[in-house]
Amino acid sequence: MADINKVSEQQQELNEKINKAAKSSGTEIAKALTFIIDDRIYGVDISYVNEIVGVPHITVIPGIPYYIKGVINVRSKVIPIIDVRARFDLPEKEHDDKTSTIIITYMDIQVGIIVDQVQEVLSVKAENKADIPALERVNNNKFIEYILETNDSIKMILDVKKLIFDDDFDIEAVAAE
Amino acid sequence: MAKVEAGMEGMVDMYLFETTTLIDQLDEILLRTEQANEFTDDDINEVFRIMHTVKGSSAMMGFENLQKLAHKGEDMFFIIREDPSKMKDIGFVYDLVFQMSDLFKAEIEEIRSNPDYEGTDFSEMIAKLENGAKMLQGELDEAEAAEGGEQSAAAKSGGIEAANENQSVIRVYFEQDCKMENLRAFLLLNRLKESFDVIDWFPKDVENNAESSGIIQEDGFLVTLNKADVDEALKVVEQSVNVDTYEIVTDEKEEEGAAPQQEAAEQPAQPANTAQAAAKAEKPAEVKPAPAETKKEAAPVKKEAPAPAKKPERAPSQQVSSNSGKQSLISVNLQKLDQLHDIVGEIITTESMVISNPELEGLKLESFQKAARELRKLTDELQDSVMSIRMVPLVGPFQKMHRIVRDMKQKLGKNVELVIEGEDTEVDKSIVDNLNDPLMHLVRNCMDHGIEEDVNERIAHGKPDKGTIKLSATSSAGEVIITVADDGGGIDTDRVLQKAEDAGLLTKPASEYSEREINNMIMLPGFSTNTEVTEYSGRGVGMDVVKKNIEKSGGSIFVESKRYEGSTFIIKIPLTLAIIAGMEVRVGDVIFTVPTSAIKQSFKITNNQIIYDTQGNEMIMLRGECYPILKLYQKYNLETDTTDFEQGILILVEADGKKVCLFADKLIGEQQVVVKPFPSYLSRYNLKAEGLSGCSIMGDGSISLIIDINNVIDKQ
């Protein structure tokens, strides 16, 4: 089995940033952890992120949707894993040493999401945050919450809730369990 | 939780627990006596004692309203105790006391859950109880009433005297700073009463007057006993907690002279003359304890009139368990037990991690293996003890059903008897808590739908006119089987089928359903056969909720029924939730855990032993029996190289008398595994129906899936 302790230097560095980034300061309105999927840059609000781990051995569970790959063991906790590529209907890609699992908690529900590569922790400022056009919402971009423009590139910040849960998911009932 | 005086927070839990236990006891006695139509002196004394204790402890906690309520109940039973013949055929007393016990239960729940708790006003109920007491008293003739009055007057005169030469007075001092001396004295008194004839004691009102603490602190607690008992009694005193010193005062006059000196010697800090004055005091009310001594000042206890005179009586033995000063029982917060339980689970996992560490493979480690075995033995023991701590008997939930049957019997006008068996069967605490609601629902269901409305209908089918509901529990091989059976009309399969069809619940042609399947349809969501909604059941949220609750505890429920003979609900729940012995088997990349309790045997076969039916399903003959083969890789759609029966292994498993052979790649080994439920995120996918009951973290950190044999067989 893969060792969850075998975290790459980059992952380690980001983990430290995540731990520090509990509070935003100055003109910053939020922080986002960015990652790469299929050469595009996405991000999630850092307040949902617990930590980044490698890709431990995934135990397949029968009878669940294709994008939930199974469960992993992170320090004796059993956590379900979502493959973001599968969630975006992208072709699967062989996991390599850059592949990372980001552990996210939303309303006490913990899941891991598999991304091709984690990138960096960014400040979100009001001036470089842009809402996505309403039209695009209707299209296939149903997971995107807003767009973050920094000097060199455009990052799509994902709506964690929509990423993890399907519309009919009764989060409150499940979280209450 | 309700706010209480500072320093008392820790006591609230204890109070709630004790009071709940006492009220349950009260219910039980009332039900029993009402049924037997006989109220013995012991019962009356017991009820009186319960009321008395509840009154005392409510007063101590500052719940004045509850104290008053219990007081009125006590008054009523005081009258009955004076003349037990009055208790004959008095139904209204039962109703009153049941109402009172309901109020108590509701109030206790309120105290438990409401942080802004304010005492409910019970004046209505109190008035009712007062009326009840008057009605009882009205029947007492005047001579008796006068006699009763005299008796209590005599007892109230207080003080204490060794009336004749055959009696001795013991004086007991409690440790300084032990607080609540009055209650400690009360406990001691009860202990003494258990074994000896206690003739008198002072202060009289130790039980519910906190101010008597001051008196006891100063001049000790005085108990008069028969001389013959004194030596034995002193032993009891000696063993009691918090007792500092004690002495025998054989003669009142001698006492007056000797006591101050002895006191001065023993407790130099205490002013001797105050003590003496207090000892002589006629009534506690007249005693003004020195302010410095009244540690209970802050306690929110309202002083009340001295308790009704209490004749020395032998307290029933139950007293020991609830009130004994000896700490042979402690109550522990369940959360702490859960924590302990979790840690033990982790230890077992870690132990496997160490002992079956892959790095040790192939090494010859004799002493390591020996030490490992030793460790294994100890962790097993540790696990067993932690489990046993959490085990509680089913008495609680079972006894509650008496009450439900009683109430419904009256409302529905059905004559039904509740029979209870095996209530001492023990299960995990968390499971007991989850059983209350389902059991209540099932019993109500039996009362409401099971037992026939019309007695003639029963007689026509050759059954006694009195219906029976039987609640029983037995334990076998890691699980507890609880049955709720009635001898009523049974399930009308035609009606159920019709109803299910109307509700669109059928998944195959109606004619293909077996009787068993139809019976169990009543537990489908949204199914209710009763066309009318009654007070108790039939809101259409009945049986499916029961089923869900039981499955939440990892159990299963099914119903057996014979038309006109009755129906039986059978609940199977695991003894404990958390740790099971399991056989690890590999299928492709996935490891499954098969509960060892379900495994009959495992074996290798050759291909020519396989029998095929007309659909090409594989089966195998074993000792003259034919079992279907379930290929795990096929069921769960897993990739594996082992598809040839000769390479893999067959495991014969059994559940509910049905057997099936599971086909897996290979056996890995047996292990104690800690059952973890699937993450809540996955709870919307019905993994239980897939035959998976949970998962478990193995020694090497990988996760195994635990197979639910019941469901695997059913869904096959």
Side-chain angles (χ1 to χ4, degrees), chain A residues 1 62 73 76 164 168-169 174, chain B residues 346 636 676 681 684 700-701:
Chain A
M1 79 161 254
N73 167 14
S76 295
I164 303 178
D168 60 342
F169 197 97
V174 170
Chain B
E346 299 293 318
Y636 294 120
K676 287 182 187 272
Y681 180 68
R684 62 189 309 219
D700 64 355

Side-chain angles (χ1 to χ4, degrees), chain B residues 18 22 25 45-46 48-50 52-54 183 186-194 207 310 313-326 329:
Chain B
E18 264 189 29
L22 286 169
Q25 253 178 43
N45 284 335
E46 182 67 12
F48 186 78
R49 182 190 69 81
I50 290 172
H52 201 66
T53 314
V54 170
L183 290 170
F186 176 62
L187 294 176
L188 176 65
L189 187 62
N190 280 330
R191 283 174 63 83
L192 288 172
K193 278 184 191 169
E194 267 166 43
E207 188 180 351
K310 225 177 144 186
E313 61 183 284
R314 278 170 186 267
S317 58
Q318 283 108 304
Q319 192 117 17
V320 190
S321 58
S322 58
N323 267 341
S324 168
K326 274 267 184 257
L329 285 178

Side-chain angles (χ1 to χ4, degrees), chain A residues 1 59-65 67-68 71-73 76-78 80 82 109 111 164-166 168-169 174 177, chain B residues 346 589-591 636 638 676-685 687 690 692 695 697 700-705:
Chain A
M1 79 161 254
T59 303
V60 182
I61 292 184
I64 53 178
Y67 60 84
I68 307 175
V71 288
I72 58 165
N73 167 14
S76 295
K77 265 188 165 174
V78 178
I82 293 171
I109 297 169
V111 292
I164 303 178
F165 305 105
D166 278 336
D168 60 342
F169 197 97
V174 170
E177 252 179 44
Chain B
E346 299 293 318
D589 275 346
V590 180
I591 294 164
Y636 294 120
L638 299 167
K676 287 182 187 272
F678 284 114
S680 52
Y681 180 68
L682 299 175
S683 59
R684 62 189 309 219
Y685 311 108
L687 294 172
E690 293 279 343
L692 299 173
C695 52
I697 294 176
D700 64 355
S702 55
I703 297 168
S704 77
L705 304 176

Side-chain angles (χ1 to χ4, degrees), chain B residues 259-275:
Chain B
Q261 286 160 16
Q262 283 181 1
E263 263 169 41
E266 283 159 10
Q267 291 181 306
Q270 297 211 342
N273 50 352
T274 330

Side-chain angles (χ1 to χ4, degrees), chain B residues 483-497:
Chain B
T483 57
V484 182
D486 66 59
D487 64 347
I491 294 171
D492 184 345
T493 44
D494 294 341
R495 228 175 97 212
V496 169
L497 198 60

Side-chain angles (χ1 to χ4, degrees), chain A residues 14-49:
Chain A
L14 283 172
N15 269 333
E16 276 163 26
K17 276 193 188 159
I18 292 165
N19 288 336
K20 279 183 206 151
K23 277 182 187 152
S24 42
S25 57
T27 53
E28 186 176 282
I29 53 169
K31 275 195 166 99
L33 171 69
T34 59
F35 50 84
I36 299 172
I37 289 168
D38 224 17
D39 299 329
R40 290 202 191 137
I41 305 172
Y42 299 90
V44 285
D45 193 309
I46 209 160
S47 59
Y48 299 115
V49 178

Side-chain angles (χ1 to χ4, degrees), chain A residues 64-127:
Chain A
I64 53 178
Y66 63 98
Y67 60 84
I68 307 175
K69 290 292 156 195
V71 288
I72 58 165
N73 167 14
V74 180
R75 280 182 290 280
S76 295
K77 265 188 165 174
V78 178
I79 295 175
I81 291 295
I82 293 171
D83 190 335
V84 181
R85 291 185 77 96
R87 187 74 169 135
F88 290 175
D89 286 327
L90 297 168
E92 293 210 20
K93 181 174 167 266
E94 189 90 355
H95 292 172
D96 54 31
D97 55 354
K98 284 187 178 141
T99 316
S100 302
T101 308
I102 304 172
I103 310 288
I104 284 173
T105 305
Y106 187 87
M107 301 243 326
D108 288 338
I109 297 169
Q110 226 173 18
V111 292
I113 57 171
I114 298 178
V115 299
D116 290 356
Q117 186 183 349
V118 280
Q119 210 189 22
E120 59 187 326
V121 175
L122 284 179
S123 297
V124 179
K125 289 176 184 158
E127 66 259 29

